Amino acid sequence: RLETRSMLSATLALVLAAGTLVRLGAWRDNRAFLVTLLVEHPQSYRAHASAAAVLAGLRDTAGARREYARAESLFGGDPHLNADHALYLAGLRDTAPAAALAARARALLPREHVALRAQFLVALARADRARALALADTAQAWFPWDQPWYERYLH
């Protein structure tokens, strides 16, 4: 009985190890992971949102915009997706769509902190310091640990 359990455990460990070895190629770098993710899950809005984040990190603006658009076409109702996209666009100073996405995210989830950050950056980009200060005050009340992030932009 103990031998049977040991054999089953060893077999399971070997199967899991083989699966990991097969996947290592996809984990080699961000682009390989990204391609594998999109091939395996072409209809997953989260896969496309992840791709957008990776492409944004690689400073591939056109690719990031394309993948955010694809993710939103698959499911635009996720406040976290809207907030991430808004923050990305706010960083590019593309304030009109950033403001709309952040507002949509906060309408769905009022305390979405990434959307609050995006609204703050949009206010600064539009030279609306009063609105930026009001948003920073809201952030301080809701997310006190996030205050240094806001202060970095205000000083």
Side-chain angles (χ1 to χ4, degrees):
R1 196 170 197 192
L2 183 60
E3 286 180 14
T4 304
R5 284 187 183 169
S6 296
M7 288 296 284
L8 285 174
S9 295
T11 303
L12 179 62
L14 284 173
V15 167
L16 292 174
T20 299
L21 286 174
V22 168
R23 300 287 302 174
L24 282 178
W27 297 340
R28 183 176 59 251
D29 59 35
N30 284 343
R31 286 199 186 264
F33 174 75
L34 179 66
V35 169
T36 302
L37 181 66
L38 293 174
V39 166
E40 291 179 1
H41 307 284
Q43 295 301 313
S44 168
Y45 83 96
R46 288 186 176 155
H48 289 281
S50 296
V54 169
L55 292 168
L58 295 171
R59 298 179 187 215
D60 180 351
T61 304
R65 284 180 185 264
R66 181 185 63 250
E67 291 303 324
Y68 273 124
R70 179 73 175 136
E72 286 181 12
S73 75
L74 292 169
F75 183 63
D78 182 345
H80 303 294
L81 170 63
N82 292 331
D84 290 344
H85 191 185
L87 187 63
Y88 173 68
L89 292 173
L92 295 176
R93 295 188 162 294
D94 195 354
T95 61
L101 285 165
R104 186 174 3 156
R106 292 206 52 219
L108 295 169
L109 190 63
R111 289 191 179 209
E112 213 303 326
H113 90 282
V114 175
L116 187 63
R117 281 183 171 194
Q119 286 181 320
F120 172 80
L121 289 178
V122 166
L124 287 179
R126 292 179 172 174
D128 188 350
R129 189 161 176 82
R131 172 116 170 100
L133 288 170
L135 290 164
D137 287 345
T138 299
Q140 182 175 9
W142 289 347
F143 315 108
W145 59 88
D146 223 11
Q147 199 57 33
W149 186 89
Y150 289 89
E151 288 173 357
R152 181 176 57 205
Y153 289 95
L154 290 172
H155 298 292

